[in-house]
Amino acid sequence: MAEDADPESKTEDPSGKRLADARDKGNIARSQEIGHWFMFLAALIAAWMLGGSLGRGVVGSLRVFFEQPEQIPIDPAHLTRLATDLFANIGIVLSPVIGLFVVFSLAGNVLQNPPHFSAERLKPDISKLSPIAGFKRIFSMTGAVEFVKNLTKISVIGIVLFSILWPELDSLETLVDLDLVVMIPLILRTILKLLGALIGIMMVVAVADYLYQRYSYMKNLRMTKQEVKDEHKETEGDPMIKARLRQIRMQRSRKRMMAAVPEASVVVTNPTHFAVALKYEAEKMSAPTVVAKGADLLARRIREIAAEHKVPIVENPPLARALYKVELDDPIPIEHYRAVAGVISYVMRLKDGLEARYEAEAEVE
């Protein structure tokens, strides 16, 4: 089986069929880091374009809790109505942001791979519940790479965020003494700095991770030479069977062609290398048609059959070579009309002369 093959023996790039089969099973190259990058980009756009209105909307909904908490009724009916209004207002305020995140999440997946439904992903896989299989996944090479990648990513992000927040530490400490309306722009400015830095880092991480995931994906789908041969047989058919079928078709075609020689009007020869049998019926055909042709041994057999059935044989090497290129059952090309017409006229005169001779001999007798 392909899964049991030695990885070292898988030296061939995956074929188009193998890639398509893997895609049908839901096995595609995908980088989660690209999805994360799109999420950070959506957050930056939301903070930049909607941050002010978003902050004012949230502050408006929460103002009563900060400024007049003692006036909030604590009976269940009022608390229920207050909570319902609060969640409804915040939901309305956050709806553009949620919509933006949904669009960018879909874009992160669509740009990597076109949408494709796979029922294989919906089938239950008992092997995923196996502790041994899970242990192998965690401590595999892929798991080690993911661990190193995440550790490096978190470390770099932590260092960058710390370097951005450290100079702002003094100003952040004074925020608690400011009014909410003044506090929000300052917090928003810091958030934009952090998101801008995160997007720059995540772009590098996403590109590197996508290239690695693509390389790993193609490597896992590599094929052995035997798998390539087997797949070729499945898609193209066994070469021996194809050769046998081709031979049978040629034999049938040759038999049908030989059966048409006795009905031919004339056979044009090279004189020995080529033989082309032409049929022409003035009432039914607009031009003479090639009904049989052959070279060497096949040409000799055509001449023999023509002689047996008294079909006229005319030697014309240039015309025979030219007509040999015409496909069977096709009319002759227009450029050969004159030459073929001369041959057929000669055959007709010869036929008329023989008939007249036979009639004269019959009268004498």
Side-chain angles (χ1 to χ4, degrees), residues 43-77:
L44 177 64
I45 294 175
W48 177 46
M49 299 182 64
L50 306 173
S53 60
L54 184 64
R56 288 190 295 271
V58 173
V59 168
S61 301
L62 299 176
R63 182 178 293 276
V64 65
F65 294 94
F66 291 104
E67 296 182 353
Q68 299 171 330
E70 71 282 354
Q71 297 183 12
I72 300 176
I74 58 174
D75 58 286

Side-chain angles (χ1 to χ4, degrees), residues 252-302:
R252 290 178 177 176
S253 176
R254 184 175 299 177
K255 186 176 180 180
R256 187 172 60 252
M257 184 176 67
M258 291 304 180
V261 173
E263 305 296 327
S265 303
V266 64
V267 172
V268 183
T269 65
N270 193 29
T272 57
H273 293 298
F274 296 105
V276 180
L278 301 176
K279 184 176 182 179
Y280 179 63
E281 296 178 356
E283 299 81 5
K284 301 178 181 180
M285 300 178 178
S286 60
T289 300
V290 176
V291 294
K293 65 177 182 177
D296 299 327
L297 293 177
L298 189 57
R300 185 175 68 180
R301 182 58 183 158
I302 291 174

Side-chain angles (χ1 to χ4, degrees), residues 175-193:
L175 292 178
V176 294
D177 299 326
L178 300 176
D179 185 78
L180 288 175
V181 177
V182 179
M183 185 191 304
I184 289 176
L186 297 177
I187 295 176
L188 183 60
R189 184 186 65 183
T190 304
I191 291 175
L192 288 174
K193 285 184 179 180

Side-chain angles (χ1 to χ4, degrees), residues 32-225:
Q32 293 183 349
E33 302 301 335
I34 290 182
H36 297 161
W37 182 82
F38 271 91
M39 290 296 97
F40 282 116
L41 181 60
L44 177 64
I45 294 175
W48 177 46
M49 299 182 64
L50 306 173
S53 60
L54 184 64
R56 288 190 295 271
V58 173
V59 168
S61 301
L62 299 176
R63 182 178 293 276
V64 65
F65 294 94
F66 291 104
E67 296 182 353
Q68 299 171 330
E70 71 282 354
Q71 297 183 12
I72 300 176
I74 58 174
D75 58 286
H78 284 85
L79 287 177
T80 301
R81 185 169 63 254
L82 185 63
T84 302
D85 294 341
L86 175 63
F87 285 120
N89 292 333
I90 292 180
I92 294 173
V93 171
L94 293 179
S95 58
V97 178
I98 295 174
L100 193 64
F101 272 87
V102 171
V103 171
F104 274 68
S105 175
L106 294 175
N109 289 311
V110 171
L111 289 180
Q112 293 186 72
N113 295 283
H116 182 78
F117 175 76
S118 174
E120 292 289 332
R121 289 290 187 180
L122 302 178
K123 295 180 180 179
D125 190 355
I126 305 300
S127 63
K128 293 182 179 179
L129 303 177
S130 171
I132 298 176
F135 183 83
K136 289 181 178 179
R137 283 195 299 268
I138 294 174
F139 292 95
S140 64
M141 179 60 68
T142 302
V145 171
E146 290 295 322
F147 175 77
V148 173
K149 181 192 72 175
N150 290 329
L151 182 62
T152 304
K153 180 178 68 174
I154 293 173
S155 301
V156 173
I157 289 175
I159 293 172
V160 172
L161 295 185
F162 179 79
S163 64
I164 293 175
L165 289 175
W166 182 257
E168 303 286 340
L169 192 59
D170 294 337
S171 60
L172 291 176
E173 291 178 352
T174 62
L175 292 178
V176 294
D177 299 326
L178 300 176
D179 185 78
L180 288 175
V181 177
V182 179
M183 185 191 304
I184 289 176
L186 297 177
I187 295 176
L188 183 60
R189 184 186 65 183
T190 304
I191 291 175
L192 288 174
K193 285 184 179 180
L194 295 176
L195 289 174
L198 282 174
I199 287 176
I201 297 171
M202 290 302 299
M203 178 180 289
V204 177
V205 173
V207 171
D209 184 64
Y210 177 77
L211 294 176
Y212 169 75
Q213 296 295 341
R214 186 70 183 176
Y215 165 78
S216 178
Y217 176 76
M218 298 297 287
K219 182 179 179 181
N220 291 334
L221 291 180
R222 282 179 183 172
M223 309 169 67
T224 63
K225 294 183 182 298

Side-chain angles (χ1 to χ4, degrees), residues 346-360:
Y346 167 75
V347 170
M348 296 300 293
R349 290 196 303 271
L350 184 62
K351 182 179 179 181
D352 292 341
L354 289 175
E355 291 179 352
R357 179 181 172 184
Y358 292 148
E359 290 175 358

